[in-house]
Amino acid sequence: MNVFATKRPSKTNWAQVDSLTDETIDTSDIPPLPESYFARATLKMPKQPVAVTVRLDPEVLAWFQAQGDEFEQSMNAALRIYAEAHNAYKRTNSSES
């Protein structure tokens, strides 16, 4: 989350949100999940992070630190997205060779 986004006042009517109950929330536009969804579902426990030392450009580190206190989690998320996209790209293009 951008650190500056949290300084703007919310336009959400939080009192109204807090007053909602399960019965008053309209879920009619959400299709029900079929049993096959639950049959395929698996529990995935989060992995413990590994402490590493990485050399970064000072500007890169400063940018992530400016995003807020959880900058290490943001860096991890950015690296995960890159790695997943790279793996997907390799899988799609490996069949062409």
Side-chain angles (χ1 to χ4, degrees):
M1 174 188 278
N2 186 327
V3 68
F4 301 109
T6 60
K7 294 183 180 181
R8 288 186 229 133
S10 173
K11 295 180 182 179
T12 303
N13 182 344
W14 290 112
Q16 181 182 6
V17 172
D18 288 339
S19 71
L20 293 173
T21 64
D22 287 346
E23 292 76 28
T24 59
I25 297 173
D26 179 15
T27 59
S28 61
D29 61 336
I30 303 172
L33 294 173
E35 287 300 319
S36 61
Y37 172 84
F38 296 101
R40 291 188 322 264
T42 59
L43 176 63
K44 293 185 179 182
M45 298 300 292
K47 296 175 185 166
Q48 289 296 322
V50 178
V52 297
T53 301
V54 179
R55 293 182 183 270
L56 302 170
D57 293 338
E59 300 84 10
V60 172
L61 179 60
W63 185 86
F64 275 101
Q65 288 174 327
Q67 304 312 303
D69 292 337
E70 297 179 351
F71 71 93
E72 290 175 340
Q73 291 89 338
S74 297
M75 293 173 79
N76 185 67
L79 289 168
R80 175 179 293 281
I81 291 167
Y82 175 85
E84 289 174 357
H86 183 72
N87 283 338
Y89 178 80
K90 272 180 74 174
R91 278 193 302 273
T92 16
N93 290 315
S94 64
S95 61
E96 295 174 9
S97 23

